[in-house]
Amino acid sequence: MIIDCHGHYTTAPRQHQAFRDAQLARLADASLPAPAPAEISDDEIRESVENNQLKLMRERGADLTLFSPKASGMEHHVPDPETARVWARVSNDLVHRVVGLFPHYFAGVCQLPQTPGGTLDDAAAELRRCVENLGFVGCNLNPDPSGGYWTSPPLTDEYWFPLYEAMVELDVPAMIHVSTSCNPSFHTLGAHYLNADTSVFMQLVQADLFDRFPTLRFVIPHGGGAVPYHWGRYRGLAVRMGRPDPSEHVMKNVFFDTCVYHQAGIDLLHRVVPADNILFASEMLGAVRGVDPETGIAWDDTKRYVDRADLTDEQRHKVYEANTLRVYPRLHARLTAEGR
């Protein structure tokens, strides 16, 4: 089985965004009525997925995708907690409907109702709802709800511990994923996402989070940001700071995905990072769409790059299936129960 651990519902029917726009309009003008979630038919959901994600999965050979709401649309920088609660619930419920309509092809990963400086009580509650009631297998965790201004403490701070406690109890991982950038210095897709991936890894190098939470698991997407390319820097900094080697200190709990959109990048990822720590992913339809004019390969057809990487059959099996089932045990349990 080929499992894509990183997919977003970027093609949701337009009524969903209209509801969000109405939410934001009411925040600007309290005299407006509270909007109701959009009425979206099953046929509209089917059309939005069959002509996009599902079509490409079949063409490219992926069997199942871990599916979450649109990352840039999470918009955690909006400071109102009630708005965040409703938006996360509605977005997650929509993903749940996709999974219900296409259970063979999708498993749910939830958006959390984070706000800048807000408590994590709502996030933990929504995580529980999605896992226990909707059958979701993981969550997306934003280390910078401010949207590019980094007002939150590092992920190793006690501020985050209530959420980690829920993750450990439920035995689900988090994909580290920021949302849209409000800082004009950081392009959302080309800078902010990769900045977050890289910054979080360094936060983990500097502290002992996994001593406190030995079963906590993070997936750092987009190939781990700059980390594989600068692996020597992180090892050297760890030595300089008197910290343990990241290979032993961090990588028992941290995994990278394959959302790297060229062959040289995928090859480097696999040369530097052990096969046990790499999960297949494409992020389609996500940040980079279209075809590379030099190769004729779609940028986000990452399976083509992984297939061409110098891997043994055992390593390729780990990347395509085994690692994801190990990192997402609720997915493993679900597929086992289904006889898959």
Side-chain angles (χ1 to χ4, degrees), residues 118-292:
T119 74
L120 291 172
D121 293 344
D122 290 340
E126 180 64 7
L127 175 65
R128 290 185 182 280
R129 184 186 78 90
C130 288
V131 172
E132 296 177 339
N133 299 344
L134 305 185
F136 282 33
V137 300
C139 64
N140 289 338
L141 174 60
N142 187 346
D144 174 37
S146 70
Y149 290 98
W150 288 91
T151 58
S152 294
L155 286 188
T156 52
D157 189 88
E158 291 184 3
Y159 166 79
W160 301 96
F161 286 6
L163 179 63
Y164 298 162
E165 290 166 357
M167 289 171 56
V168 168
E169 179 186 340
L170 296 167
D171 200 15
V172 295
M175 176 170 281
I176 303 301
H177 213 308
V178 290
S179 188
T180 192
S181 172
C182 303
N183 187 333
S185 296
F186 301 125
H187 185 275
T188 295
L189 306 177
H192 187 42
Y193 282 13
L194 304 182
N195 291 348
D197 303 333
T198 307
S199 297
V200 164
F201 187 84
M202 189 62 201
Q203 292 172 8
L204 298 173
V205 169
Q206 291 176 269
D208 298 306
L209 179 65
F210 301 123
D211 289 349
R212 173 69 178 265
F213 297 101
T215 61
L216 187 67
R217 299 180 301 281
F218 293 138
V219 179
I220 299 182
H222 318 116
V227 174
Y229 187 70
H230 290 284
W231 188 248
R233 173 178 289 263
Y234 295 102
R235 293 187 64 235
L237 287 172
V239 171
R240 182 177 179 181
M241 295 185 296
R243 303 294 301 160
D245 190 296
S247 296
E248 293 298 321
H249 180 55
V250 174
M251 297 304 285
K252 294 177 182 178
N253 303 78
V254 172
F255 307 86
F256 299 160
D257 76 12
T258 63
C259 291
V260 181
Y261 299 132
H262 64 138
Q263 190 67 51
I266 288 288
D267 292 342
L268 173 68
L269 175 67
H270 285 93
R271 284 200 299 269
V272 174
V273 177
D276 287 341
N277 292 85
I278 301 175
L279 278 59
F280 174 69
S282 69
E283 203 181 1
M284 66 91 178
L285 297 157
V288 186
R289 307 186 192 188
V291 175
D292 182 345

